[in-house]
Amino acid sequence: MSDVIASVEAAEDVRPVELPADVLDEQLIGQLVDRARAGGLQLTGEGGLLQQLTKRVLESALEGEITDHLGYEKHDPAGAGSGNSRNGVRAKTVLT
């Protein structure tokens, strides 16, 4: 497992993006929170809803980034033998 520490300079390059209303569905978010509470899941803290959502959003963003960088989707034969391919995954810990 490797640790990743973001620099202040890198963090300054990140700008908030306003999501269209259809992407950020308030009703869906409310349902997630309600289901978490009903299931006894805490909203914050270790293993809480916020931590799990953050993990999934970051993993999805990183997957999209590598797809964009390489120019082909995961398991696409276009990447075979290209010399610039996906070569596996490993666990990472992000310190914030």
Side-chain angles (χ1 to χ4, degrees):
M1 192 176 327
S2 65
D3 293 334
V4 177
I5 301 174
S7 68
V8 172
E9 294 80 18
E12 290 173 351
D13 291 339
V14 176
R15 302 285 181 249
V17 176
E18 188 68 31
L19 296 175
D22 60 333
V23 174
L24 189 58
D25 188 338
E26 295 294 330
Q27 188 175 18
L28 178 60
I29 294 169
Q31 289 173 357
L32 281 172
V33 170
D34 291 344
R35 287 181 66 185
R37 285 184 175 149
L41 181 65
Q42 292 187 13
L43 299 181
T44 60
E46 187 71 30
L49 178 64
L50 182 58
Q51 182 186 35
Q52 291 181 37
L53 286 174
T54 301
K55 178 182 185 296
R56 290 186 183 183
V57 166
L58 286 173
E59 287 174 350
S60 179
L62 291 171
E63 184 64 35
E65 183 180 34
I66 193 68
T67 296
D68 184 58
H69 174 73
L70 294 176
Y72 62 89
E73 295 291 329
K74 191 173 188 175
H75 305 298
D76 187 340
S82 69
N84 191 13
S85 59
R86 298 167 192 265
N87 58 357
V89 297
R90 62 185 173 148
K92 295 166 186 66
T93 300
V94 177
L95 303 176
T96 59

